[in-house]
Amino acid sequence: MTLPLRPELVGLEPYGAPQLDVVARLNVNENPYSPPPAVVDAIAQAVRKAAEGLNRYPDRDFTALRADLAHYLEVESHVDFVEVRNIWAANGSNEVMLHLHQAFGGPGRTVLSFAPTYSMYPEYARDSLTEYATLPRREDFHLDIEAAQAAIRELHPSLVLVASPNNPTGTALTLDEVRGLMAAADDVPGGCVVVIDEAYGEFRRRGVPSAATIIPEHANLAVSRTMSKAFALAGGRLGYLVAHEPVIDALRVVRLPYHLSAVTQAVARAALAHHRELQAQVDEIRAERDETVEWLREQGYTVADSDANFALFGPFEDRERVFQGLLSHGVLIRVVGPEGWLRVSIGTPQEMALFRSALLEVTA
């Protein structure tokens, strides 16, 4: 049977990382800790209550959830200007990003990002028929802001997409760097929305602010987050965005009806109500990350500065051999980023001890 598949999709494989049953699964930046029992109980009760009304459609504007997210941002990132009208949410930050591309991308338009970065970015552009352009990062994986400004002024993108902390490098933007991007975006004819993807924002080092704190200064700045990582809720599928109201209104136009189920909303609200317990896990992961980065450097590896829950390290002459060697010891990490580099997600102390011993043996 012949299918009328879009030509640009012929031969492509779907996005995804290996899901293997190993002792230490350290390849997809998951939170290694299950939600605490009190959070599990709260989620179960919230889902049970939601189940009683599953014969009805959910609140399609999920106003209670948006209010909870606004409150959380005020506590976690000291963002005190946010109201319900400034928040959007969807099934993971992936769907938030797709909404942004559907609203502000499309045929004849360009999205600009900075490589290496999250491998889904070009797929959002592909699926929305948007041209995808990248500018290389500096050797230390930080942005060259002057080069970025020049690219924005030359390409006139309708979207600029920057991960901070960046995946797979872990590097974060300063507020001055964000302001530098905004200065160039403000000159784009027809407008340009700058999206700072803070999927790993809660793991940033002390004193590194969220880009959301300067949204009041910029009508075309948006900051996306997820509950997958810091909230140990990857299976819950809830991502969100904070921006000025016109940006949110544009996303409401392109969303599918009732795109957030009543169960998803209930799960997310229950987790948000226990964010302080979950933040304790974040502190543990942050400390383990810093110890891992220090240890890798002591072994002679180059390690990118990380404000995330992972570390990119290398280079290796044959990273595939190292990857397979670790896997044979029950440690699954990720072959990603520039040639010769590997990324390890931060797991429990026991998992990281296994990673260290296996790496020493594989590279002996």
Side-chain angles (χ1 to χ4, degrees):
M1 180 179 68
T2 300
L3 295 174
L5 188 64
R6 286 165 44 189
E8 64 270 25
L9 301 181
V10 174
L12 294 185
E13 295 290 332
Y15 170 86
Q19 292 182 306
L20 305 178
D21 185 14
V22 294
V23 177
R25 192 164 69 179
L26 307 174
N27 68 325
V28 289
N29 305 335
E30 294 165 322
N31 190 318
Y33 300 104
S34 299
V39 181
V40 173
D41 290 343
I43 289 173
Q45 292 175 16
V47 169
R48 180 178 179 82
K49 184 176 180 180
E52 295 173 355
L54 288 181
N55 58 308
R56 303 294 185 185
Y57 285 113
D59 176 4
R60 61 173 172 264
D61 289 319
F62 44 94
T63 51
L65 172 58
R66 290 159 78 184
D68 289 351
L69 288 166
H71 174 70
Y72 169 71
L73 282 173
E74 181 178 359
V75 174
E76 193 277 333
S77 293
H78 310 293
V79 179
D80 58 5
F81 62 89
V82 177
E83 300 177 14
V84 168
R85 62 185 180 178
N86 302 117
I87 295 286
W88 187 243
N91 289 282
S93 57
N94 288 302
E95 189 178 33
V96 171
M97 290 294 176
L98 185 58
H99 286 167
L100 287 161
H101 283 71
Q102 289 173 316
F104 302 112
R109 294 187 171 191
T110 300
V111 57
L112 173 66
S113 194
F114 305 91
T117 194
Y118 184 34
S119 56
M120 273 298 297
Y121 289 171
E123 297 197 19
Y124 304 139
R126 178 201 69 197
D127 293 346
S128 60
L129 305 180
T130 308
E131 185 71 25
Y132 183 73
T134 59
L135 187 73
R137 291 172 174 265
R138 297 187 327 211
E139 190 172 337
D140 63 0
F141 302 124
H142 287 275
L143 292 192
D144 182 331
I145 295 299
E146 291 185 0
Q149 290 174 325
I152 292 170
R153 291 176 175 130
E154 176 187 352
L155 297 174
H156 293 164
S158 58
L159 277 171
V160 175
L161 192 53
V162 193
S164 176
N166 183 48
N167 181 9
T169 66
T171 42
L173 292 170
T174 66
L175 293 186
D176 284 343
E177 289 173 325
V178 177
R179 290 188 177 103
L181 295 174
M182 301 309 303
D186 289 341
D187 294 334
V188 173
C192 173
V193 177
V194 176
V195 183
I196 309 300
D197 181 356
E198 292 187 348
Y200 303 94
E202 285 91 345
F203 299 103
R204 62 193 186 278
R205 287 171 285 185
R206 302 295 184 188
V208 177
S210 168
T213 58
I214 61 171
I215 284 178
E217 303 173 19
H218 305 283
N220 54 334
L221 173 61
V223 174
S224 68
R225 289 282 190 93
T226 182
M227 294 183 70
S228 293
K229 316 300 182 181
F231 280 86
L233 209 64
R237 310 308 303 133
L238 196 291
Y240 59 101
L241 180 98
V242 56
H244 284 268
E245 189 174 6
V247 174
I248 303 303
D249 286 344
L251 304 188
R252 292 174 64 226
V253 172
V254 300
R255 61 100 186 269
L256 293 174
Y258 311 108
H259 70 292
L260 280 181
S261 76
V263 171
T264 297
Q265 294 181 42
V267 169
R269 294 195 66 203
L272 285 163
H274 291 78
H275 67 86
R276 295 190 186 280
E277 296 100 306
L278 293 165
Q279 287 301 115
Q281 297 177 331
V282 170
D283 290 338
E284 293 180 29
I285 295 168
R286 189 187 291 116
E288 190 68 42
R289 173 203 63 205
D290 292 342
E291 292 178 10
T292 300
V293 169
E294 182 179 1
W295 181 84
L296 286 167
R297 287 173 174 167
E298 289 173 352
Q299 309 314 306
Y301 297 109
T302 300
V303 188
D305 291 334
S306 180
D307 281 276
N309 66 332
F310 53 82
L312 186 75
F313 66 104
F316 297 92
E317 289 187 7
D318 187 354
R319 65 176 175 178
E320 287 287 349
R321 183 189 69 81
V322 177
F323 168 80
Q324 291 295 338
L326 290 172
L327 187 57
S328 70
H329 287 74
V331 179
L332 176 63
I333 65 171
R334 190 75 177 268
V335 178
V336 70
E339 186 63 36
W341 293 71
L342 293 167
R343 189 193 71 196
V344 59
S345 306
I346 303 304
T348 65
Q350 295 78 16
E351 290 171 331
M352 299 315 294
L354 179 58
F355 161 73
R356 291 192 291 270
S357 64
L359 183 63
L360 288 174
E361 185 169 340
V362 168
T363 59

